Amino acid sequence: MSGIRTGPSLPRSRGPLSEGLIRCLRDGGPLPDPARAGDADPYGDDLQLALYVCYELHYRGFHGVRPELEWDPPLLAVRAALEDRFLTALRRDATEAAVLDDLLDGLLEEPVRGSGVSWFLQDRGELRHLRDYAIQRSLYHLKEADPHAWVLPRLSGRAKAGMAAIEYDEFGGGRADRVHARLFADLMEDLDLDTAYGGYLDEGRAPMLALVNMMSLFGLHRRLRGALVGHFAAVEITSSPASRRLAHAMKRTGAGPAAEFFYTEHVEADAVHEQVVRRDVIGGLLADEPGLAPDIAFGITATSFLEDRLGERLLADWQA
């Protein structure tokens, strides 16, 4: 059947929700009851893996899974229940009563000495830590910028033009060898890792799955376009200094030229993107739809919340 051989293999399940969903995609068994999502840990392995698998049907799918299941109504009902559980938790845990401009200014504040993952990798990281970090980030970086492309039809004018300009850079400026997903695959080669798309899904920790799921959630729903723009702003504004630290970590450990280049490229590119996203993407969107300011703020705080959860998990695992 056409298209059935594309995509990575289905992952191993991590609980009843993901087990039922994966079994349905693999063998045609019954889907899990959507009501079971209401009792699941919204940030746990089972729900996040199940939601990731649902979303991947909108990217490259899975080997052996029929492409038409992307829009299967019963499967979409399960996805909607998973999304509701996840989004409700994010709105509860990651919404701050803060002015949008204050949040954006806060993203620019860099501590003299930080304690997050990029600081650890810069100062003390070993190749094993860098390899584990790359494995986790591969779940996003091998599809880098794809979730954000979904917002383009939902924008207009200055916001659309600014977003498209940044996406053009992310997709290599018309050069296949400069597509950022390709550059990350080159980084993985330097670290002796498998570069296959989705090859490390089974190794993905729940906080990393949640980060990628948040991008897909915001990108696939027009009502969440403001949150997607806020998330995108948080990533672009904070990327340059963190990338500088990661480039230093790659150089210090001798990870390889491609590994170092991926982050030096982001130091330069994202320093420019930071200005465009704030001036044109956010500025243009608010000029058109000023009522989206709270949604943009939510996208920023949700991103920080999930990034902090991932950082805490990685550091705890590495220091155990």
Side-chain angles (χ1 to χ4, degrees):
M1 185 176 293
S2 177
I4 207 165
R5 290 189 295 274
T6 63
S9 299
L10 283 164
R12 295 188 296 270
S13 62
R14 305 187 190 181
L17 287 169
S18 55
E19 181 180 7
L21 178 63
I22 292 168
R23 184 175 59 244
C24 172
L25 295 178
R26 177 182 289 123
D27 306 320
L31 283 163
D33 183 352
R36 299 188 69 172
D39 298 323
D41 178 355
Y43 307 117
D45 279 288
D46 189 29
L47 184 141
Q48 290 300 328
L49 179 61
L51 188 53
Y52 190 101
V53 169
C54 287
Y55 285 143
E56 192 56 42
L57 298 177
H58 298 292
Y59 291 100
R60 302 192 194 180
F62 292 99
H63 176 76
V65 174
R66 293 181 294 115
E68 54 268 32
L69 287 175
E70 177 183 3
W71 299 109
D72 179 68
L75 196 151
L76 290 177
V78 173
R79 194 191 89 184
L82 299 171
E83 288 177 326
D84 182 67
R85 179 69 170 153
F86 182 36
L87 184 58
T88 298
L90 280 178
R91 290 200 183 281
R92 180 193 67 213
D93 300 331
T95 298
E96 298 178 16
V99 177
L100 177 57
D101 282 341
D102 292 342
L103 287 173
L104 290 167
D105 290 341
L107 294 174
L108 292 169
E109 296 175 1
E110 271 288 297
V112 175
R113 170 55 49 190
S115 57
V117 167
S118 65
W119 294 94
F120 174 89
L121 293 175
Q122 173 188 252
D123 298 336
R124 293 185 285 148
E126 302 171 9
L127 277 174
R128 62 188 176 95
H129 301 127
L130 294 174
R131 295 178 84 249
D132 187 31
Y133 183 74
I135 284 171
Q136 298 304 307
R137 290 293 185 182
S138 72
L139 299 184
Y140 166 64
H141 280 306
L142 291 180
K143 61 159 71 86
E144 184 166 346
D146 289 351
H148 306 132
W150 275 317
V151 82
L152 285 169
R154 287 87 187 262
L155 304 177
S156 62
R158 188 153 53 101
K160 182 191 284 282
M163 191 74 185
I166 297 173
E167 288 284 273
Y168 182 69
D169 286 348
E170 302 284 353
F171 293 133
R175 290 179 52 186
D177 63 318
R178 300 284 294 194
V179 172
H180 285 190
R182 175 66 256 174
L183 296 180
F184 194 81
D186 294 340
L187 172 150
M188 295 179 76
E189 286 184 353
D190 269 1
L191 293 172
D192 295 322
L193 296 173
D194 181 6
T195 64
Y197 178 92
Y200 287 107
L201 180 51
D202 279 326
E203 283 72 30
R205 294 171 175 82
M208 188 65 224
L209 297 176
L211 262 173
V212 184
N213 284 339
M214 179 189 67
M215 299 181 210
S216 300
L217 171 64
F218 291 169
L220 281 167
H221 291 271
R222 185 170 60 85
R223 64 188 171 90
L224 296 173
R225 61 195 178 281
L228 190 283
V229 167
H231 154 74
F232 190 68
V235 170
E236 295 298 322
I237 292 173
T238 60
S239 172
S240 190
S243 292
R244 185 176 293 108
R245 290 188 287 272
L246 292 167
H248 178 80
M250 296 295 177
K251 183 175 183 178
R252 180 179 58 77
T253 57
E260 186 179 348
F261 178 75
F262 177 82
Y263 289 109
T264 57
E265 167 75 5
H266 280 72
V267 171
E268 299 171 8
D270 291 343
V272 176
H273 295 171
E274 166 201 323
Q275 302 299 318
V276 177
V277 74
R278 185 161 186 177
R279 181 187 66 243
D280 294 327
V281 182
I282 292 180
L285 181 58
L286 289 178
D288 293 337
E289 301 182 87
L292 290 182
D295 287 348
I296 297 172
F298 169 59
I300 293 171
T301 56
T303 300
S304 298
F305 174 74
L306 292 180
E307 284 284 0
D308 287 347
R309 285 180 62 90
L310 175 63
E312 290 167 3
R313 172 67 183 275
L314 291 176
L315 290 174
D317 288 349
W318 294 344
Q319 296 171 351

